[in-house]
């Protein structure tokens, strides 16, 4: 991932895809704007969104400031139609350095938690911090120090239960850690190391149980393995460690996870081989039931077109529809991405895929996609290094974007 450095354009706007999902599939083409134009010329990167049970939502992103190498995490609330609720507000209170990798979660009652990596705070190279907010957007807690180990802590992921209790997991130089908190942000124990490896992703059920997935290199297998494990609401392991992928991953292996309404879950990841460009990079998916039994094989969901399909995100909504989105790039001779797009594939409650991809195209790179669901919509968010959509003024090229896809029930 990139870190936000220097003043660039802030733009959060609607961008239409080059090809809509086929008309017979219940997911429709983009149904409107969820983010408003920010109106400043700063870097706006790494957007993340979350929904409550009524369709209200919150978006967070990293905003560059007018001082070099400094940034902040900002948030904006929205109503069910995408209308603004209140103004944009800063989440972090520590200001001297820069903040990155924000993630947000919201429960059905609208309470939400934002977590991020803060650089230089508490004498750390980088540490994980969080803050709790009520449904009205007012802060419930001060800024919380989540990680206590010194060194490089990054890539936080967060889940919240129906009462407001939450869990944050993150990557440390020594492996993947997590820590549990009550609804007010009070710690329920120290941080604990739950696995080796990297790239943790977490999804939490309303009852407080959760699943954690991560990537771990296995020298004996000759590549990376995607692992997953269920945990109870007390934080105790509730299953054995699952091996998700059927073949070792030569490069990448970025996982994503979402819970399904029947208690099961979806796990997506990328599988690349940068030493064999003919193989390219693909996005794969596997479904599990509520007892962590596989419902499908390890399936490729991205096109076999020799492009680099990487960095997936996955979401499921209460009606059973789901979506996988990812970055889709060409690779140069050195393995560097260019000509990037965002692809999304939707699935109906039976697991049947939409007959066509929804593809967001531009003349520049589209990066760091996320997908969430709520209020009858899927929302795909990402940042772009080229702003040529409506209401961009071309002064600076980088902005954060989001599209809503409407779910029309049969």
């Amino acid at each position: 991932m990139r870190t936000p450095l220097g003043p660039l354009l802030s733009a959060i706007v609607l961008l239409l895809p080059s090809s809509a999902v086929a008309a017979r599939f219940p997911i429709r083409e983009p149904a409107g704007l969820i983010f408003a134009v920010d109106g400043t010329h700063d870097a706006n990167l790494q957007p993340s969104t979350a929904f409550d049970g009524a369709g209200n939502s919150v978006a967070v992103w990293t905003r560059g400031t007018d001082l070099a190498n400094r940034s902040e995490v900002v948030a904006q609330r929205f109503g069910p139609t995408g209308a603004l609720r209140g103004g944009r507000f800063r989440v972090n209170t520590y200001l001297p350095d820069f903040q990155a990798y924000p993630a947000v979660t919201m429960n059905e009652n609208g309470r939400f938690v934002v977590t991020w990596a803060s650089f230089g705070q508490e004498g750390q190279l980088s540490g994980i911090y969080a803050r709790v907010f009520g449904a009205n957007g007012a802060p419930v807690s001060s800024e919380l120090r989540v990680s206590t180990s010194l060194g490089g802590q990054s890539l936080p992921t967060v889940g919240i239960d129906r009462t407001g209790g939450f869990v944050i997991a993150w990557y440390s130089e020594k492996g993947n850690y997590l820590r549990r908190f009550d609804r007010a942000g009070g710690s329920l124990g120290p941080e604990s190391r739950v696995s080796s490896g990297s790239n943790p992703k977490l999804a939490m059920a309303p009852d407080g149980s959760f699943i954690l997935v991560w990537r771990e290199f296995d020298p004996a297998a000759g590549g990376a393995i995607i692992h997953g494990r269920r945990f109870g609401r007390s934080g105790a392991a509730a299953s054995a460690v699952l091996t998700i992928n059927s073949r070792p991953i030569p490069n990448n292996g970025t996982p994503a996870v979402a819970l399904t309404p029947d208690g099961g879950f979806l796990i997506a990841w990328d599988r690349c081989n940068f030493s064999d460009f003919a193989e390219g990079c693909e996005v794969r998916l596997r479904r599990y039931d509520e007892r962590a039994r596989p419902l499908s094989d390890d399936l490729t969901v991205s096109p076999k077109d020799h492009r680099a399909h990487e960095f997936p995100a996955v979401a499921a909504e209460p009606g059973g529809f789901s979506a996988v989105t990812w970055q889709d790039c060409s690779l140069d001779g050195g393995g560097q991405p260019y000509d990037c797009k965002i692809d999304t594939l939707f699935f109906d409650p039976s697991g049947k895929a939409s007959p066509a991809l929804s593809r967001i195209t531009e003349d520049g790179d589209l990066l760091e996609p996320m997908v969430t669901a709520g209020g009858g919509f899927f929302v795909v968010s990402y940042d772009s290094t080229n702003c040529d959509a409506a209401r961009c003024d071309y002064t600076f090229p980088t902005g954060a974007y989001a599209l809503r896809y409407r779910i029309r029930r049969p």
Side-chain angles (χ1 to χ4, degrees), residues 87-109:
R88 186 190 68 191
F89 57 94
R90 187 177 66 236
V91 174
N92 57 290
T93 57
Y94 175 78
L95 302 178
D97 216 309
F98 66 94
Q99 330 297 316
Y101 313 126
V104 63
T105 185
M106 177 181 270
N107 70 6
E108 58 193 22
N109 300 315

Side-chain angles (χ1 to χ4, degrees), residues 128 146-147 153-155 168-171 176-179 191 200:
I128 306 303
V146 177
S147 60
Q153 326 286 323
S154 63
L155 305 179
I168 296 175
W170 68 93
Y171 167 67
N176 297 314
Y177 285 72
L178 66 78
R179 195 171 185 184
E191 64 180 36

Side-chain angles (χ1 to χ4, degrees), residues 264-308:
F265 53 93
L266 308 172
I267 298 177
W269 66 96
D270 51 15
R271 186 185 190 280
C272 299
N273 187 350
F274 294 138
S275 64
D276 183 359
F277 288 112
E279 185 174 352
C281 292
E282 60 187 13
V283 171
R284 302 184 70 82
L285 178 72
R286 201 165 192 187
R287 296 175 177 270
Y288 288 81
D289 67 13
E290 72 283 359
R291 297 177 65 181
R293 298 175 301 191
L295 294 174
S296 72
D297 293 330
D298 169 349
L299 304 174
T300 300
V301 296
S302 57
K304 294 185 179 297
D305 54 9
H306 305 296
R307 289 175 61 87

Side-chain angles (χ1 to χ4, degrees), residues 324-335:
V324 183
T325 190
W326 63 87
Q327 177 181 304
D328 171 0
C329 302
S330 295
L331 291 176
D332 64 18

